Amino acid sequence: MKKILTTCTALLFITLTVVGQSAFDQSTSLKAATDFLASLTPAQKTVANLSFTDSSRVKWSNLPLEQVYRQGIQMKDLDDAQRVILHSLLRGVLSQQGYQKLLFIIQYDQGILERLSKANSPIAKRYGNQNYWFSIFGTPGKDKVWAWKFEGHHISLNLTYSPKGVTCTPMFVGINPALTTTGPYAGYHVMFEENDFGNQLFNDLNATMQKKARIGPHPVDADVMTQTGKEHHLKDRKGVLYTEMTPKQQRLVEGIARAWVENLTPALAQEKMKRILAAKEKIVFTWQGSSNTNELHYYSIKTDSFIIEFSNRDGGIYHYHTLWRDLSEDFLSK
């Protein structure tokens, strides 16, 4: 009997250990990052491969060229073979949904360049599919802590790897216009769910709950509010609690979270969604701006440990800025 109990205890320990570990296989990312570094010339490697302690690793921005200075190697400075490797790294952590969203955002930015160039705008050069930067921080390795950043206008992806797992935030995605209304692409609506789930949730609240959810006017700069992760609003519990919502409304909250989390591969998405659901009873839904969902507005779902934000930026209802931050994991290895 003692031997049986000892065996069962050992098996339970093994099971718990396996369950507690990340299911995401880092080998694809590791190979792509290693291959990418091997493809670089010495001069390219100097700008693309930075120290893990480099200050740019823990900074992010979605602003276009000329409005922010970025470290790393620019897309225009990569050859075709290097771009192929880079995209394999992106696909290694992004789901089909997330990868296609990324491609659409970059394609739309190229459209901005072409429209402004045709109008002889002096700021046209800020935009375009070549104005994105990539950096690897540290030395990729199975037993090492390392990271990469892919960033440019309307995109900031920040992945950090360690033997314990992968962190995936901050994650910023934006687009303008999300809904195309003219030309051959009329009807395309990128990031539809991120917009629609928030609108559905607010509209499903009764008048009393809508009043409680509305915590103020549209943000002054019409942007996401969590730039540093230390802002006062992160601790503010004003808004509508998940526990106050109907089952339908709670499902919409979970739908909002999945719209961001499922930009990641299934293994990563499952892991990160589990973290969010573990704290779901502490989630607060907030709304800022007009109560008319066809006008400019901002919403968030948040706890003390994470926030997801959506804002109509400016210049129209279809300019989206969105952000997901896991405040206990941002930029860090687990």
Side-chain angles (χ1 to χ4, degrees), residues 57-331:
R57 183 179 68 84
V58 294
K59 297 177 182 177
W60 72 274
S61 175
N62 70 288
L63 294 174
L65 178 69
E66 294 185 326
Q67 292 189 281
V68 63
Y69 173 76
R70 289 184 170 90
Q71 299 278 18
I73 193 163
Q74 202 170 348
M75 289 294 287
K76 70 179 182 63
D77 295 323
L78 298 175
D79 64 28
D80 289 350
Q82 291 167 334
R83 295 182 190 192
V84 168
I85 299 171
L86 172 54
H87 276 268
S88 71
L89 178 60
L90 295 170
R91 288 193 303 273
V93 297
L94 298 176
S95 63
Q96 185 68 8
Q97 162 192 307
Y99 182 61
Q100 289 300 322
K101 190 178 296 180
L102 181 84
L103 296 182
F104 272 124
I105 292 169
I106 295 172
Q107 175 186 325
Y108 274 43
D109 215 62
Q110 180 66 19
I112 294 174
L113 169 65
E114 292 169 3
R115 289 196 304 273
L116 292 181
S117 296
K118 188 175 181 180
N120 294 315
S121 170
I123 64 170
K125 62 182 179 181
R126 293 179 180 177
Y127 305 96
N129 56 23
Q130 300 304 294
N131 288 331
Y132 290 85
W133 283 257
F134 179 68
S135 305
I136 292 178
F137 301 92
T139 303
K142 182 179 179 181
D143 299 316
K144 296 182 178 181
V145 179
W146 61 284
W148 58 261
K149 181 192 298 286
F150 182 81
E151 191 173 87
H153 187 220
H154 281 157
I155 295 172
S156 182
L157 302 181
N158 300 273
L159 281 286
T160 308
Y161 298 73
S162 82
K164 294 183 179 181
V166 181
T167 67
C168 309
T169 59
M171 179 187 291
F172 180 101
V173 286
I175 196 160
N176 183 32
L179 175 63
T180 302
T181 57
T182 60
Y185 300 112
Y188 281 29
H189 195 165
V190 183
M191 298 172 62
F192 170 80
E193 286 188 338
E194 290 89 329
N195 175 65
D196 191 58
F197 285 157
N199 290 353
Q200 284 191 54
L201 177 55
F202 183 77
N203 286 330
D204 199 69
L205 298 174
N206 62 37
T208 300
M209 299 297 271
Q210 284 189 355
K211 184 177 179 180
K212 188 174 182 180
R214 288 182 67 193
I215 61 172
H218 198 229
V220 174
D221 60 359
D223 208 347
V224 293
M225 299 166 60
T226 314
Q227 299 295 320
T228 68
K230 298 179 181 179
E231 289 84 358
H232 180 266
H233 72 266
L234 293 169
K235 300 298 183 182
D236 192 334
R237 302 300 291 170
K238 292 179 182 176
V240 176
L241 290 170
Y242 178 91
T243 51
E244 299 176 299
M245 298 178 184
T246 66
K248 176 185 176 181
Q249 292 161 1
Q250 291 176 344
R251 287 192 295 273
L252 286 169
V253 168
E254 294 174 19
I256 288 170
R258 292 185 190 281
W260 274 265
V261 172
E262 290 180 356
N263 287 325
L264 302 170
T265 60
L268 278 175
Q270 182 178 13
E271 178 183 325
K272 304 310 178 184
M273 195 65 195
K274 184 177 180 181
R275 286 176 59 84
I276 290 175
L277 293 178
K280 66 183 180 181
E281 294 190 352
K282 296 180 180 179
I283 291 176
V284 177
F285 172 69
T286 73
W287 186 273
Q288 293 179 241
S290 172
S291 60
N292 183 345
T293 55
N294 292 317
E295 296 177 355
L296 296 182
H297 58 268
Y298 162 105
Y299 78 78
S300 73
I301 60 171
K302 63 181 179 178
T303 67
D304 288 340
S305 60
F306 87 91
I307 186 165
I308 288 173
E309 302 180 81
F310 175 101
S311 182
N312 301 116
R313 179 65 176 100
D314 56 23
I317 194 71
Y318 295 114
H319 185 173
Y320 299 163
H321 276 198
T322 77
L323 179 67
W324 167 33
R325 297 192 73 157
D326 185 323
L327 302 170
S328 61
E329 284 195 352
D330 276 357
F331 298 115

Side-chain angles (χ1 to χ4, degrees), residues 33-44:
T34 301
D35 289 349
F36 182 80
L37 291 177
S39 76
L40 300 176
T41 66
Q44 287 178 317

